[in-house]
Amino acid sequence: MKRIIPALLALMLILSACSSAPAVQSEPESNAIEPETFSVSFDGDLENVILPEKTEYQPAETVFFKLPHIDDKVFEFYSEISISRDYLADYDYCSFMMPAENVTITIRELEYVPEPEPEPEPEPEPEPEPEIPAHDNSEFVRVADFIPNAVINLRYATEDNFTGSVIYDFTDAYLRYGTVAKLMDVEAELEGYGYRLMIWDAFRPAEAQWTLWNIWPDAEYVADPTNGFSSHTRGNTVDVTLVGADGEWMRMPSDFDEFSTLADRDYGDVDFEDAVTNVLTLQNTMEAHGFIPYDSEWWHFSDSDEYEVEAEFAPPCKYEPGSLEWFNNVYFKSASARAFLNSEYADIADVNLYMLFYDGAGDSAYPSPDELEAFKVKGGYEDIYTDVSKFTSEQANAILIKYTGKTIDETNKIGLDHFTYLEEYDAYYHMHGDTNANTFVMDSLVADEPGIVRLTYYGWSGEQYIVSLAEAENGTYYIISNVKVTE
């Protein structure tokens, strides 16, 4: 036995030497690495960690482990290696690649701290109200600039009025600033009830008042311009109705310019209860803010603050001055301007003043009893068989200056002897029969000379005329001739 043991030991040494000796037929590469195993250990709170089953790995082997995917769990890794983390099913899926050394990974469960709720975005600061420049109460302003929610529907700027004609050459409503300031308060209160204002009429030029009076000379419904004009001409009166927030018309006792008892403020003859409710809402709100209702027209309200009749201000015209549309719809829309077409003249100095003023140019007025008696004596009349009209020298000169730039004394006074002049009143009188209003329409415009415009139209007899006008320094046009076209 003693001989066998040494022999076995010797054999093992020989075999060991043989196995570690390099093979003769193939030498190993110089960078060859002997296979060996490495371990990975986990440290920390591993309660929720699903560990890999094995703990020994080869170099460059990927190691996987899982963390439960629980929303209120947060895990922190302490390691010298790079760990990638991804989500798979209900787990956090973690992996890393083994390095050539032992690895210890410390995993700690952290206290869950919910992410703070995002701070609410601050409310945007409201834009400051636009500063409204200071205005004098008597200043004329555009209503829409101060009451943008009001509906502007000037009926006299359309054919939808009792005349059936367009009376205004503008479409914007203008009023005194003091009146608009009160109307702003009215609109604010009405909007609280679900209503808005609709404006049918506001400032009315004096010339437009004459047009309405000549068509409907009934002082109950149309103010007599010979008796102080309309309060509309003062810029402190407005014709209004109610509409809903969506612009729908609210029922009222009548339509605008209803010349009957339905228009007055005795609502006993109104068939619809909601119409009475609506009109009283309008009336009470207007009165509460300083407006005085007119008894014969439920839509008509005047500012309690009074102003003078305005003769100079005119709202901006919607037509281009000097255009054919402007001459038809503005310049010759005036009866005073059209009266210059009643006679033929190659020079404005020869205009027939009788035909000019007899047919209504200017603001004619009714004479007093004393004037009528003086008229009879001076004119040698035994009786007055028709109406007597008068116009003062001041009124006649105003018309001539406006449309020709001249006064009576700068004309040849043709036709003036047909009137009776009373020096003590400095006025001209005549017995006035029916007046045939003319409605000449200009059909062409030629500007073949600098500063001169020639318009053609057809007169009563169908003959063609040319009226010539010269552009004045003040931006208007002066009539210089009116002649018949010859073959």
Side-chain angles (χ1 to χ4, degrees), residues 9 13 53 97 112 136 157 242 253 257 261-262 280 349 356 363 385 402 407 428 436 447 462 464 482:
L9 291 173
L13 289 173
E53 294 180 357
M97 183 174 290
Y112 175 70
D136 183 89
L242 294 181
D257 276 354
T261 58
L262 281 175
L280 287 177
L356 173 65
D363 301 337
Y385 51 85
K402 179 176 181 178
T407 63
Y428 297 85
N436 294 319
Q464 191 176 37
N482 183 49

Side-chain angles (χ1 to χ4, degrees), residues 209-210 213 217-220 222-230 364 366:
Q209 187 63 38
W210 274 105
W213 176 254
D218 183 342
E220 185 173 3
V222 179
D224 184 352
T226 66
N227 190 27
F229 281 93
S230 166
S364 59
Y366 299 118

